[in-house]
Amino acid sequence: MPSPEVGPGANTDLSRLVAAAADLCRKPLRHGVLVPQEWDGRHLDLSLRIEARDPSGLRLPEQDLELELYPSGDDLHLTLAWAADDSRPMLWQGGHPVWMDGANGQRCAAPADGAPIEALARRLRALLVG
């Protein structure tokens, strides 16, 4: 499984890639991504925070997402969850999307505002795997 460029700019490259995908899938929101400083750029097994802003630059913490990337065999899986509300459903994306209840982890229906999150998950998987 290919990973983003390794080296001193790896954190910046990954954060730009994720932010650009979030900007495209969650319009009109704008996004910044916090990558852990200890990430060495060699493995896609990490947690990121995707911070949201409105078009004027006002922070919208209720729209922030937590992104977890983790390899499983030769595949990459990810989860996306709203950072500010553990009770909201979270999305697991492997070969297909699965929405899970944030409180108990049981499968559930997609939330009304889930389509942009699914689009983001698909796009990130395509960018990071292919």
Side-chain angles (χ1 to χ4, degrees):
M1 157 184 14
S3 65
E5 180 104 9
V6 177
N11 286 1
T12 303
D13 294 344
L14 181 62
S15 65
R16 285 183 182 163
L17 181 138
V18 172
D23 287 351
L24 181 66
C25 296
R26 299 182 76 206
K27 288 181 180 178
L29 299 177
R30 302 290 298 168
H31 300 83
V33 177
L34 302 176
V35 178
Q37 282 190 329
E38 65 275 4
W39 185 59
D40 63 8
R42 292 189 183 100
H43 305 94
L44 285 177
D45 190 356
L46 71 154
S47 295
L48 309 171
R49 183 176 186 94
I50 303 172
E51 294 187 338
R53 294 182 182 276
D54 74 8
S56 71
L58 180 67
R59 279 281 291 120
L60 300 171
E62 69 279 2
Q63 292 295 324
D64 289 356
L65 299 172
E66 292 178 354
L67 168 64
E68 290 188 35
L69 301 166
Y70 54 95
S72 178
D74 290 335
D75 206 0
L76 178 69
H77 296 252
L78 61 88
T79 60
L80 281 164
W82 280 268
D85 190 351
D86 290 341
S87 67
R88 295 215 53 198
M90 64 182 283
L91 176 66
W92 172 86
Q93 178 75 47
H96 60 279
V98 176
W99 284 96
M100 299 180 292
D101 185 285
N104 62 25
Q106 297 297 312
R107 191 175 189 146
C108 67
D113 58 352
I117 305 302
E118 285 188 36
L120 176 57
R122 284 190 306 274
R123 180 170 277 299
L124 287 174
R125 235 176 135 255
L127 290 168
L128 296 171
V129 171

